[in-house]
Coordinates of all heavy atoms in Angstrom, one line a residue:
L132 N 24.3 0.2 5.2 CA 25.7 0.6 5.3 C 25.9 2.1 5.1 O 26.6 2.7 5.9 CB 26.6 -0.2 4.4 CG 26.6 -1.7 4.6 CD1 27.4 -2.4 3.5 CD2 27.1 -2.1 6.0
H133 N 25.3 2.6 4.1 CA 25.4 4.1 3.8 C 24.8 4.9 5.0 O 25.4 5.9 5.4 CB 24.6 4.4 2.5 CG 25.1 3.7 1.3 ND1 26.4 3.5 1.0 CD2 24.4 3.2 0.3 CE1 26.5 2.8 -0.2 NE2 25.3 2.6 -0.6
K134 N 23.7 4.4 5.5 CA 23.0 5.1 6.6 C 23.9 5.0 7.9 O 24.0 6.0 8.6 CB 21.7 4.4 6.9 CG 20.9 4.9 8.0 CD 21.1 4.1 9.3 CE 20.6 2.6 9.1 NZ 20.9 1.8 10.3
D135 N 24.5 3.9 8.1 CA 25.4 3.7 9.3 C 26.6 4.6 9.3 O 27.1 4.9 10.3 CB 25.9 2.3 9.4 CG 24.8 1.3 9.8 OD1 23.7 1.8 10.3 OD2 25.0 0.1 9.8
S136 N 26.9 5.1 8.1 CA 28.1 6.0 7.9 C 27.9 7.3 8.7 O 28.9 8.0 9.0 CB 28.5 6.2 6.5 OG 27.5 7.0 5.8
F137 N 26.7 7.7 8.9 CA 26.4 8.9 9.7 C 25.7 8.6 11.0 O 25.8 9.4 12.0 CB 25.7 10.0 8.9 CG 24.3 9.7 8.6 CD1 23.3 10.1 9.5 CD2 24.0 9.2 7.4 CE1 21.9 9.8 9.1 CE2 22.6 8.9 7.0 CZ 21.6 9.2 7.9
I138 N 24.9 7.5 11.1 CA 24.2 7.2 12.3 C 25.2 6.8 13.4 O 24.9 7.0 14.6 CB 23.3 6.0 12.1 CG1 22.1 6.4 11.2 CG2 22.8 5.4 13.4 CD1 21.2 7.4 11.8
L139 N 26.4 6.4 13.1 CA 27.4 6.1 14.1 C 27.7 7.2 15.0 O 28.1 7.1 16.2 CB 28.7 5.5 13.4 CG 29.5 6.4 12.5 CD1 30.5 7.2 13.3 CD2 30.3 5.5 11.5
Y140 N 27.6 8.5 14.5 CA 27.8 9.6 15.3 C 26.8 9.8 16.4 O 27.0 10.2 17.5 CB 27.9 10.9 14.5 CG 29.1 10.9 13.5 CD1 28.9 10.6 12.1 CD2 30.4 11.1 14.0 CE1 30.0 10.6 11.3 CE2 31.5 11.1 13.1 CZ 31.3 10.8 11.8 OH 32.4 10.8 10.9
Y141 N 25.5 9.4 16.0 CA 24.4 9.5 17.0 C 24.7 8.4 18.0 O 24.5 8.6 19.3 CB 23.1 9.2 16.3 CG 22.6 10.4 15.5 CD1 22.8 10.5 14.1 CD2 21.9 11.4 16.1 CE1 22.4 11.6 13.4 CE2 21.4 12.5 15.4 CZ 21.7 12.6 14.0 OH 21.2 13.7 13.3
K142 N 25.0 7.2 17.6 CA 25.2 6.1 18.5 C 26.4 6.4 19.5 O 26.3 6.0 20.7 CB 25.4 4.8 17.8 CG 24.2 4.3 17.1 CD 24.4 2.9 16.4 CE 23.1 2.4 15.9 NZ 23.2 1.1 15.2
D143 N 27.4 7.0 19.0 CA 28.6 7.4 19.8 C 28.1 8.4 20.9 O 28.7 8.4 22.0 CB 29.7 8.0 18.9 CG 30.9 8.3 19.7 OD1 31.6 7.4 20.2 OD2 31.2 9.5 19.9
D144 N 27.1 9.1 20.6 CA 26.6 10.1 21.6 C 25.5 9.5 22.5 O 24.8 10.2 23.2 CB 26.0 11.3 20.8 CG 25.8 12.5 21.7 OD1 26.7 12.8 22.6 OD2 24.8 13.2 21.6
G145 N 25.2 8.2 22.4 CA 24.3 7.5 23.3 C 22.9 7.3 22.7 O 22.0 6.9 23.4
F146 N 22.7 7.6 21.4 CA 21.3 7.5 20.8 C 21.0 6.0 20.7 O 21.9 5.2 20.4 CB 21.3 8.1 19.5 CG 21.0 9.6 19.5 CD1 22.0 10.5 19.9 CD2 19.7 10.1 19.1 CE1 21.7 11.9 20.0 CE2 19.5 11.5 19.2 CZ 20.5 12.3 19.6
V147 N 19.8 5.7 20.8 CA 19.3 4.3 20.5 C 18.5 4.4 19.2 O 17.6 5.2 19.0 CB 18.3 3.8 21.7 CG1 17.7 2.5 21.3 CG2 19.1 3.7 23.0
E148 N 18.8 3.5 18.3 CA 18.2 3.5 17.0 C 17.3 2.3 16.8 O 17.5 1.2 17.2 CB 19.3 3.4 15.9 CG 18.7 3.4 14.5 CD 19.7 2.9 13.4 OE1 20.8 2.3 13.8 OE2 19.5 3.2 12.2
H149 N 16.1 2.6 16.1 CA 15.2 1.5 15.7 C 15.1 1.6 14.2 O 14.8 2.6 13.6 CB 13.8 1.7 16.3 CG 12.8 0.7 15.9 ND1 12.9 -0.6 16.3 CD2 11.8 0.7 15.0 CE1 12.0 -1.4 15.8 NE2 11.2 -0.6 15.0
E150 N 15.5 0.5 13.6 CA 15.5 0.4 12.1 C 14.3 -0.2 11.5 O 13.7 -1.2 12.0 CB 16.7 -0.4 11.7 CG 18.1 0.1 12.1 CD 19.2 -0.8 11.8 OE1 19.3 -1.9 12.4 OE2 20.1 -0.5 10.9
N151 N 13.8 0.4 10.4 CA 12.6 -0.1 9.7 C 12.9 -0.2 8.2 O 13.6 0.7 7.7 CB 11.4 0.9 9.9 CG 11.1 1.3 11.3 OD1 10.3 0.6 11.9 ND2 11.7 2.3 11.8
I152 N 12.5 -1.3 7.6 CA 12.7 -1.5 6.2 C 11.4 -1.8 5.5 O 10.5 -2.3 6.1 CB 13.7 -2.6 5.9 CG1 13.2 -4.0 6.3 CG2 15.1 -2.3 6.6 CD1 14.0 -5.2 5.9
G153 N 11.3 -1.4 4.3 CA 10.0 -1.5 3.6 C 10.1 -1.6 2.1 O 11.1 -1.2 1.5
L154 N 9.1 -2.1 1.5 CA 8.9 -2.3 0.1 C 7.6 -1.6 -0.3 O 6.6 -1.8 0.3 CB 8.8 -3.8 -0.3 CG 8.3 -4.2 -1.7 CD1 9.4 -3.8 -2.7 CD2 8.1 -5.7 -1.7
I155 N 7.7 -0.8 -1.3 CA 6.5 -0.1 -1.8 C 6.2 -0.7 -3.2 O 7.0 -0.6 -4.1 CB 6.8 1.4 -2.0 CG1 7.2 2.0 -0.6 CG2 5.5 2.2 -2.4 CD1 7.8 3.4 -0.7

Side-chain angles (χ1 to χ4, degrees):
L132 296 176
H133 301 319
K134 177 264 299 178
D135 286 348
S136 68
F137 69 87
I138 291 294
L139 63 87
Y140 295 104
Y141 287 96
K142 291 186 175 180
D143 184 67
D144 197 40
F146 277 73
V147 175
E148 179 194 18
H149 180 71
E150 296 173 292
N151 305 273
I152 65 171
L154 166 68
I155 304 166

